[in-house]
Amino acid sequence: MPDPLSATERTRHRRLREQGRTGREALFEVLQAGFVCHLGVVVDGDPMVVPTVYGFDADHLYVHGSVASRSLTRGTTVCVTVTHVDGLVLARSVFEHGVNYRSAMIYGVPRVLEGDEKLAALRLLTEHVAPGQWDHARRPNRRELAATTISAIPLDEASVKVREGHPDDADDPHDVWAGILPLTTSWQPPVTDPRAAHHPIPPHILTRPGPPTDPDGQGK
């Protein structure tokens, strides 16, 4: 059996428990499906929620930011959320309308990484966002690394919820259409920077899931 998710006072499912998921594989599925999270932290007594890209492995979520950013305050517990909207649930009554979604919430104290550990985490984050890009683009230099903060947030305390399926009011006497309006996202054909027009689009970009590229292979 896969390792279960934590069930602390902050992460246990109180409402809509049937939508809760308890296996860590459910957490990894939510994290794998996206690359933008919302990082919530209290700074100087005020809440701050910052969208940022992330990467992850079996034990940590990795987020990055500027060294001047106040959102990665050392030693402060943060709450990270990742949400994917899969569709609108349009019921017979407005009260029963809802959203089909997949979401994860993670609590932890970020640990700021340095040296080789920092570089490895930056590579992992880059490869999660755009697989193959780390070996394609120039690696960060010392100045760029010094200007960047990479933090590791443990995946020890996390909660996952998933809502799927049709409306829950099939017995409502109001006889109107009801159902799901699905929402999907996909990568579009790449658009080449005019200054790089003499280069072909690399294979790791062409094979990114999504519609086929245009016939001339330049995404113009």
Side-chain angles (χ1 to χ4, degrees):
M1 294 292 292
D3 294 336
L5 291 172
S6 60
T8 67
E9 281 301 303
R10 292 190 290 202
T11 61
R12 68 184 179 91
H13 302 127
R14 292 178 171 81
R15 294 186 62 257
L16 302 174
R17 294 182 181 179
E18 70 279 5
Q19 296 180 12
R21 301 292 185 268
T22 58
R24 292 186 68 82
E25 76 282 0
L27 172 63
F28 297 145
E29 288 173 4
V30 171
L31 296 180
Q32 185 61 44
F35 59 90
V36 174
C37 66
H38 285 84
L39 173 67
V41 63
V42 175
V43 178
D44 297 332
D46 295 318
M48 177 185 295
V49 179
V50 181
T52 184
V53 298
Y54 67 85
F56 72 99
D57 58 22
D59 301 308
H60 294 90
L61 185 82
Y62 300 97
V63 295
H64 86 297
S66 167
V67 293
S69 173
R70 298 190 301 163
S71 62
L72 294 176
T73 306
R74 297 171 187 261
T76 301
T77 298
V78 301
C79 178
V80 180
T81 59
V82 177
T83 303
H84 309 295
V85 177
D86 296 319
L88 293 177
V89 181
L90 304 173
R92 294 155 185 84
S93 68
V94 173
F95 179 80
E96 293 292 343
H97 279 42
V99 174
N100 280 344
Y101 69 94
R102 293 160 289 152
S103 69
M105 179 179 293
I106 301 160
Y107 286 94
V109 178
R111 179 172 62 89
V112 176
L113 305 181
E114 302 292 347
D116 291 343
E117 196 175 21
K118 178 179 182 179
L119 191 63
L122 185 58
R123 176 175 184 169
L124 189 151
L125 188 153
T126 302
E127 286 296 292
H128 174 63
V129 173
Q133 192 67 7
W134 184 262
D135 290 330
H136 173 75
R138 178 180 62 80
R139 309 287 171 80
N141 57 37
R142 290 185 178 182
R143 178 184 57 80
E144 292 165 338
L145 283 174
T148 304
T149 297
I150 303 288
S151 293
I153 302 170
L155 295 177
D156 297 333
E157 189 176 3
S159 176
V160 174
K161 275 191 172 182
V162 176
R163 201 282 181 200
E164 53 193 357
H166 284 283
D168 295 329
D169 66 343
D171 57 348
D172 192 299
H174 192 57
D175 189 16
V176 296
W177 180 91
I180 302 167
L181 186 61
L183 175 66
T184 60
T185 59
S186 63
W187 299 107
Q188 300 302 301
V191 179
T192 299
D193 182 340
R195 293 171 296 179
H198 56 293
H199 291 293
I201 300 174
H204 71 280
I205 300 299
L206 287 174
T207 56
R208 191 75 161 154
T213 58
D214 59 295
D216 68 9
Q218 289 297 317
K220 296 179 180 176

